[in-house]
């Protein structure tokens, strides 16, 4: 009887019992991160791979370009020194664009792109431009060279995001989706094609295509646009003799002329295959000894695979994957439509260019001369790519501020009903 009485008694709460229950509950339930914390995490996932890829690119340019630098300039550090200066300028550009409100690009992208077009045409003038491998992409400015088409990649994406985010746009109607975006992109791509740079034109048009997808263009319109772009690319490939030769002999049938048209692809594959799991060691590449053309630029990933092996190549690909994942996350959490399209467009551009370069190095796509972001030698490309990452970071920073403002706005005011004293 006494035992049953004791069992029915309510135990008295111990001192601090409510505090103990709160601690036990917090141990069992994992706290949900705030939107501001998620936004900061996305920024970390964006900037950390960017920094690592830039450093890896400098190391690989020093390794892959040492032989050709000695032969051409008398010092193995020539490419490395120039790329280091461009990397410093790119970091400054990243900081500036990250601190600049991304709404600036809504107003300035189209005028800046229109002002860039005459500069791009200067590459065709023999007094200003310089040619390499049949393409006229560069402007000589004394000790440095400028490649205006790299700026066109970023500005075209920004202009497309500004056009597609206008409130009067109805993407269900083709007229609203492609006017004035279609003519603007066609003019930019046309100028790039005059420079005989089909790879850059494909990257620009492909980036806008991905942006149309992110904006919500109807599937049937996307299919028609994709087929039209594919037909135009095929026309420019087979309508020009050297492009047709590169497509048919250097890519589809490279084994028929391994010492001629198929030489670069064959040597790149030999470099990748020689690396094995762990590579031959940093700086010990054999293909960079005048076997693999453009070992420090377009085919730097082949030397990376040879020296660092499959493990090193997968690590670099993972860094690219993290960067693209962060860009997509930032776009999804952007405060407005323009920010969402801007971050998505720049992320799509970097991802597409990476895919085109890696496809060429591995033989899955034709060789187009498109550099690998962050890793290939090329000052203008590195500066513009880092500035593009800064624009994505600007969208992410505004996402942090927006989340903080919402948290302050939603916080219960003292003295209001339901608030604790």
């Amino acid at each position: 009887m006494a035992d049953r009485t004791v069992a029915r008694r309510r135990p008295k709460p111990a001192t601090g019992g409510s505090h103990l229950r709160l601690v036990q509950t917090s141990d069992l339930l994992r706290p949900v991160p705030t939107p501001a914390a998620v936004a900061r995490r996305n920024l970390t996932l964006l900037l950390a791979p960017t920094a690592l890829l830039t450093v890896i690119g400098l190391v690989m340019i020093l390794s892959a370009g040492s032989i050709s630098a000695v032969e051409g300039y008398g010092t193995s550090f020539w490419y490395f020194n120039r790329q280091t200066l461009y990397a410093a300028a790119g970091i400054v550009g990243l900081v500036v664009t990250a601190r600049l409100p991304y709404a600036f690009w809504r107003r300035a992208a189209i005028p800046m792109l229109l002002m860039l077009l005459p500069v791009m045409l200067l590459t065709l003038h023999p007094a200003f431009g310089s040619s390499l491998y049949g393409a006229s992409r560069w402007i000589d400015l004394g000790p440095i060279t400028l490649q205006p088409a790299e700026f066109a990649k970023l500005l075209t994406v920004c202009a497309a995001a500004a056009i597609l985010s206008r409130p009067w746009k109805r993407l269900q109607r083709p007229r609203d989706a492609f006017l004035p975006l279609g003519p603007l992109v066609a003019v930019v791509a046309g100028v790039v094609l005059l420079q005989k740079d089909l790879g850059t034109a494909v990257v620009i048009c492909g980036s806008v295509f991905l942006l149309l997808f992110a904006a919500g263009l109807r599937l049937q319109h996307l299919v028609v646009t994709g087929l039209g772009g594919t037909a135009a690319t095929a026309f420019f490939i087979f309508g020009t003799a050297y492009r047709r030769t590169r497509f048919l002999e250097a890519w589809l049938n490279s084994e028929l002329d391994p010492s001629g048209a198929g030489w670069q692809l064959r040597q790149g594959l030999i470099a990748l295959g020689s690396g094995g799991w762990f590579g031959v060691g940093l700086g010990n590449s054999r293909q960079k000894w005048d076997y693999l053309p453009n070992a420090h630029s377009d085919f730097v990933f082949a030397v990376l695979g040879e020296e660092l092996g499959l493990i090193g190549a997968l690590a670099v690909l993972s860094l690219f994957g993290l960067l693209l994942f962060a860009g997509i996350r930032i776009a999804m959490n952007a405060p407005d439509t323009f920010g969402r399209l801007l971050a998505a467009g720049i992320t799509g551009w970097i991802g597409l260019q990476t895919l085109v370069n890696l496809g060429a190095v591995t033989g899955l796509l034709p060789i187009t001369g498109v550099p690998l972001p962050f890793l290939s030698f090329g000052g203008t490309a590195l500066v513009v790519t880092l500035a593009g990452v800064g624009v994505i970071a600007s969208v992410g920073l505004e996402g942090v501020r927006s989340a903080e403002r919402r948290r302050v706005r939603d916080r219960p005011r003292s003295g209001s009903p339901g608030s604790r004293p």
Side-chain angles (χ1 to χ4, degrees):
M1 183 68 179
D3 294 338
R4 288 195 295 270
T5 303
V6 172
R8 286 195 297 268
R9 289 176 183 173
R10 296 180 60 188
K12 293 181 180 181
T15 304
S18 60
H19 173 70
L20 292 175
R21 284 195 297 272
L22 289 176
V23 172
Q24 292 169 358
T25 304
S26 64
D27 290 338
L28 295 175
L29 298 178
R30 187 177 181 180
V32 178
T34 63
V38 173
R40 292 191 183 93
R41 187 181 305 165
N42 292 336
L43 281 173
T44 302
L45 288 176
L46 175 75
L47 297 178
T50 299
L52 290 174
L53 287 171
T54 303
V55 172
I56 293 172
L58 293 176
V59 173
M60 292 311 306
I61 286 171
L62 175 61
S63 175
S66 58
I67 305 304
S68 57
V70 168
E71 294 176 348
Y73 304 97
T75 172
S76 59
F77 289 90
W78 194 87
Y79 291 123
F80 173 77
N81 291 338
R82 288 180 67 90
Q83 193 74 353
T84 302
L85 293 176
Y86 285 122
I91 292 172
V92 173
L94 187 152
V95 173
V96 170
T97 53
R99 296 179 64 87
L100 188 69
Y102 67 85
F104 166 82
W105 301 102
R106 183 196 294 269
R107 303 182 302 271
I110 296 177
M112 291 175 67
L113 183 59
L114 294 177
M115 289 188 294
L116 180 66
L117 291 176
V119 180
M120 295 172 64
L121 291 173
L122 287 178
T123 61
L124 305 177
H125 197 284
F128 301 98
S130 61
S131 300
L132 185 65
Y133 301 112
S136 303
R137 311 177 187 176
W138 300 270
I139 296 178
D140 288 323
L141 297 176
I144 64 173
T145 57
L146 185 69
Q147 192 172 355
E150 294 296 331
F151 293 97
K153 294 176 184 178
L154 175 60
L155 291 178
T156 302
V157 170
C158 295
I163 292 173
L164 294 174
S165 62
R166 291 179 179 177
W168 50 265
K169 281 291 179 183
R170 295 178 59 188
L171 296 181
Q172 291 77 15
R173 297 189 302 183
R175 181 185 62 186
D176 285 351
F178 295 102
L179 290 176
L181 179 59
L184 181 64
V185 175
V187 170
V188 175
V191 174
V192 174
L193 287 173
L194 288 177
Q195 300 175 348
K196 297 182 180 180
D197 190 359
L198 180 61
T200 299
V202 169
V203 169
I204 291 175
C205 295
S207 302
V208 175
F209 178 82
L210 294 176
L211 190 54
L212 288 170
F213 172 79
L217 188 68
R218 282 185 173 181
L219 180 60
Q220 58 183 355
H221 298 155
L222 284 173
V223 172
V224 172
T225 304
L227 292 176
T230 303
T233 303
F235 171 78
F236 286 111
I237 290 176
F238 293 101
T240 309
Y242 77 92
R243 291 195 187 112
R244 184 169 59 249
T245 300
R246 179 183 296 179
F247 185 85
L248 295 176
E249 298 181 13
W251 181 50
L252 289 181
N253 300 296
S254 60
E255 69 279 357
L256 298 180
D257 190 12
S259 60
W263 174 264
Q264 187 177 25
L265 176 58
R266 182 179 178 85
Q267 296 304 314
L269 294 177
I270 290 175
L272 286 172
S274 301
W277 282 96
F278 301 102
V280 297
L282 187 63
N284 295 328
S285 168
R286 293 181 290 270
Q287 294 304 110
K288 68 182 181 183
W289 288 81
D290 289 339
Y291 291 103
L292 177 62
N294 299 320
H296 61 288
S297 55
D298 300 343
F299 272 68
V300 68
F301 188 78
V303 178
L304 185 147
E306 181 184 9
E307 294 188 348
L308 303 182
L310 179 62
I311 302 300
L314 290 178
V316 170
L317 294 180
S318 300
L319 291 176
F320 276 111
L322 281 177
L323 189 152
L324 299 179
F325 173 75
I328 295 172
R329 288 284 298 270
I330 290 174
M332 294 174 61
N333 296 308
D336 55 18
T337 302
F338 176 65
R340 175 173 61 86
L341 294 181
L342 187 62
I346 297 175
T347 302
W349 152 46
I350 296 175
L352 178 62
Q353 184 164 322
T354 302
L355 181 65
V356 170
N357 178 273
L358 295 180
V361 172
T362 56
L364 299 176
L365 294 174
I367 299 174
T368 57
V370 173
L372 181 61
F374 307 106
L375 270 71
S376 292
F377 176 78
T380 309
L382 180 60
V383 172
V384 174
T385 305
L386 288 173
V389 172
V391 176
I392 301 176
S394 177
V395 178
L397 287 171
E398 184 59 33
V400 174
R401 300 187 192 102
S402 178
E404 292 288 353
R405 287 193 295 266
R406 288 196 303 269
R407 185 177 64 85
V408 172
R409 184 180 64 246
D410 297 339
R411 181 185 299 168
R413 298 180 180 178
S414 60
S416 60
S419 61
R420 292 187 176 181

